[in-house]
Amino acid sequence: MGWGSVLLLLSVAVFCQRASSIGANWGTQASHPLPPDIVVRMLRENGIQKVKLFDAEYDTLRALGKSGIEVMVGIPNEMLATLASSLKAAEKWVAKNVTTHISTDKVNIRYVAVGNEPFLSTYNGSYLSTTFPALRNIQIAIIRAGLQNQVKVTCPLNADVYESSTSLPSGGDFRANIRDLMITIVKFLSENGGPFTVNIYPFISLYNDANFPVDYAFFDGNSQPVSDGGTFYYNMFDANYDTLVHALEKNGFGNMPIIIGEIGWPTDGDKNANLDYAKKFNQGFMAHISGGKGTPRRPGPIDAYLFSLIDEDAKSVQPGYFERHWGIFTFDGLPKYALNLGTTNTGALIQAKGVRYLQRKWCVMKPNVRLDDPQVAPSVSYACARGDCTSLGVGTSCSNLDGKENISYAFNSYYQINDQLDTACKFPNISEVTKTDPSTGNCRFPIMIEPYYGGASREHRFFFPLLMAAAIALSIF
């Protein structure tokens, strides 16, 4: 075989590897997050080669050291003002959260995500004046640290930063009220080799519009195609992506690399958030991008991070209860459905190993208590406000529960989130602890994993439950 043939085979292998690689968003807004070392092992065993973080938590990054996993660290929106006003603060942030982890822990940090969807219209312009200065200061700090060839800055943006004047991809341009700012940011990213990172969510379109054509959210070609001057679009993702491509082309940045920062489908908390749709969407997306053909306007491999890796029961429920259920894994690292990422020998997800659970016991409503007992309503309200009842409701995984089972679910959520403390199952004469699993059908009454305190001291690990018990005793009725 000649060298030309060898080089051709090598280039094809590299192309295929890039085309089939997939990243995942690893969020940690959970009452009982999995320990980072368990998550990193799970990532490696599932062949997930890239992770996108929403912060730069020390233990998380240290666990990623020497793993070979490519990392995008995040800077929360709340930090943008400080970093925008102080280059010194930006240099300290880079030194602590990037340089140290690269040099000491051997973490493969490749991107810094400055902010997270800072121009969402729901933020009412809160971050319009701070995002670009923060982005610029972080870039300067990276250059001063000598890392500009390894680490690139980006700014994950929601797809609402662009729009189409014609409702077709070819009419794409940046949103009128932020167009000048967007062009400034895109020009800066382009000059520094940073990608345009965008989050695309067909599920949200379906959630917000009852008339949205359901088939157009998926990738099986069953939808009525949309014609854009003879270019046909069979799914929303391609149309949305190419709207961005047209916006970039229209403003002189047609060759700018694009990263899909978030894409996925939730499994609970809404009638359209279910296991079947999530599997259909995520498996369809994997098949859609695995060949590396790209979209009609931008052929080639697509760089993407699934949203998300693990469910997060402490996330805000705005705009809906589904927000806590985006994971392809449950909170404790169990695969929710059969999903072939093309990265394992089995063609299926591999569950987290070494997970330690609390005792097999649950807090439920006493069987002899009447539903109209005056203590029931305030107790359920209290439990749901401080627990997680997002799996209860129409079209959810626990929608088939009867009245007492609904109440038990609420009580148990509060009990588990509070580490099964005795005081957390003391709803006035209406609750009790049982060792019989109340789960039924698709509705799982979870047992929490043992709490993870990160780098907390032994004393903190001991006293924290005592403090929690005291707080509960003082606050519950």
Side-chain angles (χ1 to χ4, degrees):
M1 183 183 291
W3 279 111
S5 300
V6 172
L7 290 173
L8 177 61
L9 286 173
L10 285 172
S11 64
V12 169
V14 170
F15 174 84
C16 289
Q17 183 183 30
R18 185 184 167 203
S20 62
S21 69
I22 188 72
N25 285 268
W26 175 5
T28 56
Q29 293 185 60
S31 65
H32 290 67
L34 283 168
D37 58 328
I38 288 179
V39 178
V40 171
R41 180 179 178 183
M42 184 174 75
L43 287 166
R44 296 182 69 176
E45 291 188 344
N46 282 281
I48 297 173
Q49 302 165 12
K50 303 177 295 185
V51 292
K52 177 170 165 283
L53 308 175
F54 295 91
D55 51 28
E57 200 274 325
Y58 177 79
D59 286 346
T60 299
L61 285 166
R62 188 172 60 176
L64 284 161
K66 300 179 182 178
S67 68
I69 295 171
E70 182 180 298
V71 180
M72 181 186 295
V73 295
I75 296 175
N77 292 336
E78 293 72 26
M79 294 183 63
L80 294 178
T82 299
L83 297 173
S85 62
S86 170
L87 177 56
K88 187 174 182 180
E91 288 181 316
K92 283 185 176 180
W93 191 93
V94 168
K96 177 183 177 182
N97 300 297
V98 181
T99 306
T100 296
H101 287 294
I102 289 175
S103 60
T104 303
D105 301 318
K106 310 303 179 190
V107 183
N108 184 20
I109 297 175
R110 302 299 299 276
Y111 300 101
V112 174
V114 182
N116 183 49
E117 300 185 332
F119 304 144
L120 273 177
S121 54
T122 52
Y123 288 150
N124 297 318
S126 299
Y127 307 108
L128 287 178
S129 63
T130 55
T131 300
F132 177 63
L135 187 71
R136 183 177 54 203
N137 281 347
I138 289 293
Q139 176 63 39
I140 293 171
I142 287 171
I143 292 171
R144 291 186 177 179
L147 296 171
Q148 66 273 20
N149 293 327
Q150 176 180 344
V151 182
K152 303 298 180 182
V153 294
T154 189
C155 179
L157 298 162
N158 188 274
D160 75 350
V161 299
Y162 50 88
E163 57 194 2
S164 173
S165 58
T166 63
S167 298
L168 297 170
S170 59
D173 201 351
F174 295 114
R175 203 169 78 212
N177 67 323
I178 58 170
R179 186 172 179 273
D180 291 345
L181 176 58
M182 284 303 305
I183 292 171
T184 298
I185 288 174
V186 170
K187 182 174 185 292
F188 181 81
L189 291 174
S190 179
E191 290 171 347
N192 290 283
F196 191 109
T197 301
V198 62
N199 303 336
I200 297 178
Y201 282 113
F203 170 81
I204 300 294
S205 298
L206 178 60
Y207 179 76
N208 289 333
D209 181 4
N211 297 316
F212 183 87
V214 176
D215 286 340
Y216 198 55
F218 299 99
F219 300 93
D220 47 19
N222 292 335
S223 67
Q224 183 69 30
V226 173
S227 176
D228 187 355
T231 299
F232 290 93
Y233 288 91
Y234 294 86
N235 63 79
M236 182 197 158
F237 171 78
D238 282 358
N240 193 302
Y241 189 99
D242 279 3
T243 303
L244 169 59
V245 173
H246 278 284
L248 290 169
E249 290 175 349
K250 198 164 292 180
N251 292 286
F253 301 96
N255 295 321
M256 186 167 197
I258 297 171
I259 289 177
I260 304 301
E262 299 178 17
I263 186 166
W265 199 280
T267 58
D268 210 351
D270 181 70
K271 63 180 181 179
N272 291 312
N274 55 63
L275 295 174
D276 290 340
Y277 274 4
K279 178 180 178 179
K280 182 179 180 181
F281 181 85
N282 283 331
Q283 195 63 73
F285 179 69
M286 290 304 305
H288 189 62
I289 69 171
S290 64
K293 69 176 183 179
T295 62
R297 192 70 183 178
R298 178 74 76 88
I302 287 177
D303 194 1
Y305 296 80
L306 289 179
F307 191 86
S308 65
L309 186 66
I310 308 167
D311 279 356
E312 301 170 74
D313 67 350
K315 282 191 72 178
S316 166
V317 291
Q318 296 296 329
Y321 287 164
F322 57 83
E323 281 295 338
R324 295 178 177 176
H325 303 279
W326 288 96
I328 56 176
F329 292 91
T330 58
F331 74 95
D332 50 348
L334 300 177
K336 293 184 181 178
Y337 47 86
L339 179 62
N340 185 358
L341 299 178
T343 54
T344 63
N345 294 331
T346 62
L349 297 175
I350 299 170
Q351 75 179 69
K353 294 182 174 64
V355 179
R356 297 170 62 91
Y357 291 87
L358 298 175
Q359 295 181 53
R360 285 185 57 80
K361 57 183 182 178
W362 298 261
C363 180
V364 296
M365 184 180 183
K366 286 182 177 179
N368 61 337
V369 176
R370 294 168 53 92
L371 289 174
D372 60 359
D373 186 297
Q375 295 289 354
V376 168
S379 295
V380 170
S381 295
Y382 184 92
C384 282
R386 293 158 180 81
D388 178 23
C389 293
T390 56
S391 292
L392 301 177
V394 178
T396 63
S397 65
C398 295
S399 60
N400 293 324
L401 298 183
D402 63 26
K404 288 195 172 185
E405 288 170 334
N406 269 283
I407 294 164
S408 292
Y409 187 97
F411 288 176
N412 185 64
S413 173
Y414 179 77
Y415 178 63
Q416 299 293 340
I417 282 176
N418 286 289
D419 297 335
Q420 299 182 351
L421 290 171
D422 290 342
T423 48
C425 193
K426 295 290 186 184
F427 297 96
N429 299 315
I430 59 174
S431 62
E432 66 181 12
V433 174
T434 179
K435 293 189 176 181
T436 301
D437 188 349
S439 300
T440 175
N442 292 326
C443 182
R444 178 189 181 195
F445 281 58
I447 297 173
M448 282 297 169
I449 61 177
E450 289 187 357
Y452 169 73
Y453 298 114
S457 66
R458 183 178 181 277
E459 290 75 15
H460 180 225
R461 290 168 188 256
F462 177 75
F463 283 114
F464 184 76
L466 298 181
L467 292 171
M468 186 185 297
I472 291 171
L474 288 170
S475 63
I476 192 168
F477 308 107

